[in-house]
Amino acid sequence: MTDAKLRPATDIIRQAKHLVAFTGAGISAESGIPTFRGENGLWNQYDPRILELSYFRQHAEEIWPLLKDLFYNVISGAEPNPAHYTLAEWEKQGLLKSIITQNIDNLHQRAGNRHVIEYHGNTRDAVCLSCGEKTALTEEILAGNPPVCPVCGGILKPDFVFFGEPIPAEAAAKALEESAVADVYLIIGTSGVIYPASLLPYEAKKAGAKIMEINPEPSEYTGKITDIFLQGKAGEILPVLQQNL
Ligand code: OAD
């Protein structure tokens, strides 16, 4: 990052009245969690159909072992990285008001953030496809194949959003609200292609927020609504911003 960008970027963050971060898989890449798209992205190796609700209903027994490998085992072995910790520090200082995340890995909370809006749900819980009961996905329940509901024995589905499912209502409402009140909106590590999450930065822009973006590659937002594009890895750029605040 050049000084020409560092100075205005730190000024904007320092003076923010309502800073909101909008994060995607890229912020957890340096924690060893693969992104979905791009060179080493999951969707280059696996058929995204495994996260389609109707397909999952028909093939849950086949898909669950894959979900354990791709998500649960990877996430349980991952630790927050300097990008997560910088956002936690900013929340503690009262600078960062909330994080809207598309991630299901819990790493923002583990780093210390409390105001996290989980737009795509999470891996902590599961929902029964038969009775609709929500259950904490303990190791014991997760050991089953497929994991089944402790109440009725029906097949469980992870409580994250599959393709074809609506966004959890409370998260959707809060995310819209935070996007509309932000005066600085920091987009980190998302390609910006998955609707409706992809619309949130446009809401912030419409409401007059300054849009900053951190990503090693240009995204759907770069050159369209981004005011300052900081090109590079989140785990490197965020600590530099922090040191210069
Ligand atoms: P993507 O995989 O689409 O995009 C990841 C972005 O992170 C890309 O723009 C990368 O350039 C960037 N990136 C890679 N390494 C990075 C680093 N070290 N620092 C910063 N950025 C980095 O992931 P998302 O945009 O999060 O949905 O994908 C959105 C949704 O698509 C996901 O939430 C998931 C998926 O299908 C559900 O699971 C419902």
Side-chain angles (χ1 to χ4, degrees):
M1 185 177 24
T2 60
D3 273 359
K5 282 198 169 174
L6 179 61
R7 178 83 66 82
T10 47
D11 284 349
I12 286 169
I13 288 174
R14 194 182 307 114
Q15 291 158 13
K17 301 264 180 298
H18 199 109
L19 174 64
V20 171
F22 175 62
T23 65
I27 196 167
S28 297
E30 290 156 85
S31 294
I33 300 178
T35 59
F36 294 94
R37 295 164 194 86
E39 211 179 319
N40 298 314
L42 280 187
W43 300 150
N44 279 342
Q45 296 168 62
Y46 299 93
D47 189 338
R49 239 183 1 174
I50 60 170
L51 293 191
E52 263 169 32
L53 187 58
S54 54
Y55 191 76
F56 178 80
R57 278 181 188 278
Q58 289 158 12
H59 301 92
E61 262 173 75
E62 255 167 72
I63 294 174
W64 258 112
L66 207 52
L67 296 183
K68 290 180 197 176
D69 277 355
L70 299 182
F71 297 104
Y72 294 88
N73 298 342
V74 176
I75 289 170
S76 67
E79 295 295 332
N81 68 55
H84 298 104
Y85 286 120
T86 303
L87 295 185
E89 179 59 31
W90 289 356
E91 183 182 298
K92 211 160 71 185
Q93 292 170 5
L95 188 56
L96 179 70
K97 299 298 188 261
S98 64
I99 298 176
I100 302 165
T101 190
Q102 296 165 85
N103 299 344
I104 55 173
D105 57 27
N106 211 28
L107 291 184
H108 286 305
Q109 290 92 332
R110 284 180 54 204
N113 283 96
R114 291 293 160 261
H115 299 289
V116 182
I117 300 166
E118 293 180 317
Y119 201 79
H120 284 161
N122 64 66
T123 44
R124 287 184 301 277
D125 301 323
V127 179
C128 178
L129 288 176
S130 302
C131 72
E133 185 79 11
K134 196 184 260 202
T135 302
L137 206 44
T138 59
E139 265 181 46
E140 198 187 338
I141 293 178
L142 195 57
N145 190 39
V148 293
C149 173
V151 177
C152 79
I155 292 177
L156 291 174
K157 176 203 152 288
D159 194 26
F160 51 81
V161 175
F162 277 36
F163 295 114
E165 281 193 302
I167 304 303
E170 196 183 329
K174 273 195 187 159
L176 257 185
E177 201 180 295
E178 282 297 289
S179 300
V181 297
D183 66 337
V184 179
Y185 205 75
L186 185 53
I187 304 173
I188 308 167
T190 179
S191 56
V193 297
I194 291 299
Y195 171 90
S198 56
L199 298 183
L200 292 168
Y202 289 90
E203 292 296 325
K205 181 78 176 179
K206 210 163 66 187
K210 273 247 174 316
I211 312 286
M212 298 217 312
E213 190 182 2
I214 301 174
N215 198 313
E217 309 288 335
S219 75
E220 282 298 307
Y221 306 113
T222 325
K224 285 192 194 143
I225 56 168
T226 299
D227 296 301
I228 299 189
F229 179 51
L230 304 173
Q231 189 157 20
K233 295 180 173 179
E236 293 171 5
I237 290 189
L238 279 163
V240 172
L241 291 174
Q242 162 70 6
Q243 280 157 22
N244 284 276
L245 274 185

